[in-house]
Amino acid sequence: MKLRLGINCVLPVLLLLVSTRAGCQEVAVKTNLFSDAFANINVGAEAALAPKWTLDLEGELNTWTLSHGRRWKHWALQPEARYWLCDRFGGHFLGVHIHTGQFNMGGFDGILNFLGTDARKLKDSRYQGWFVGAGVAYGYDWILSRHLNLEAEIGIGYSYTHFDRFDCAGCGKKAEAGKSHNYVGPTRAAVNLVYLF
């Protein structure tokens, strides 16, 4: 009898606490629609740290084999601390992020030569290596409903890449080893569909 009475008293209190925390929107999960358009599997999670601070962690993976010897395989992680100018999960925010990952890409007819990075080299070569960097970002979060938001973000920063270059996109003959490249420019671009708990 005492056990049953205890559960009957504790259960409503626990439900009240859980529903109160859920109403405060402490956690969000998201997917980057921009990455989805390029067939990159991605997921993100964001958690409240303080009234105006959140911590965001996004990851992406592409393991697809494409036709004609083309490769765009990679994985990447990008944690970001966000400061919200009004309330968290709504309106303007500023972010500071780091990023890391690995890549294996080539066989694409790249047309850009942008900020010292020549994507045209991807047509006849394959690059395999890793990267690390950091940047700053600005974004805006539109509240669509109680649990659904749409978020847009752009970030700039620095990336250091270390790679080996292969003569053709599909072959295994190594042409250069241990090369590096320094990149400054966009490091984050997202249009996220966000679900809030």
Side-chain angles (χ1 to χ4, degrees):
M1 183 73 148
K2 288 182 183 178
L3 179 61
R4 187 174 193 159
L5 182 61
I7 290 174
N8 287 338
C9 291
V10 171
L11 190 56
V13 172
L14 287 175
L15 289 173
L16 181 63
L17 288 174
V18 169
S19 65
T20 301
R21 290 189 66 79
C24 293
Q25 298 177 328
E26 300 282 327
V27 177
V29 293
K30 58 184 74 177
T31 185
N32 185 346
L33 302 175
F34 186 66
S35 288
D36 290 338
F38 289 97
N40 297 321
I41 299 167
N42 71 90
V43 67
E46 189 170 0
L49 300 176
K52 291 189 178 245
W53 287 94
T54 59
L55 180 63
D56 179 72
L57 175 62
E58 295 185 23
E60 121 176 348
L61 175 69
N62 188 324
T63 62
W64 312 120
T65 301
L66 304 173
S67 61
H68 309 294
R70 296 175 299 158
R71 294 183 186 195
W72 192 262
K73 296 182 178 191
H74 66 277
W75 68 264
L77 289 175
Q78 195 169 49
E80 179 176 74
R82 291 181 171 179
Y83 177 77
W84 296 82
L85 300 182
C86 192
D87 293 324
R88 64 179 179 245
F89 301 116
H92 301 275
F93 65 87
L94 303 172
V96 176
H97 58 265
I98 59 173
H99 52 262
T100 189
Q102 292 179 307
F103 58 89
N104 183 356
M105 59 181 67
F108 286 91
D109 192 7
I111 56 173
L112 294 175
N113 185 1
F114 182 67
L115 298 172
T117 300
D118 192 354
R120 297 172 298 186
K121 294 179 180 179
L122 289 172
K123 183 176 182 179
D124 299 319
S125 296
R126 180 171 62 88
Y127 295 83
Q128 184 173 333
W130 56 269
F131 63 92
V132 65
V136 295
Y138 163 77
Y140 191 86
D141 210 316
W142 291 272
I143 299 170
L144 303 178
S145 69
R146 181 176 177 184
H147 293 286
L148 197 61
N149 286 8
L150 185 66
E151 176 182 283
E153 181 180 18
I154 188 74
I156 60 169
Y158 168 78
S159 287
Y160 172 82
T161 59
H162 187 82
F163 60 89
D164 296 331
R165 185 178 70 81
F166 298 83
D167 276 336
C168 62
C171 65
K173 185 178 177 189
K174 191 181 291 187
E176 295 179 293
K179 302 297 280 182
S180 64
H181 177 70
N182 295 294
Y183 166 81
V184 175
T187 53
R188 191 168 176 103
V191 176
N192 290 320
L193 187 61
V194 182
Y195 183 83
L196 295 145
F197 290 94

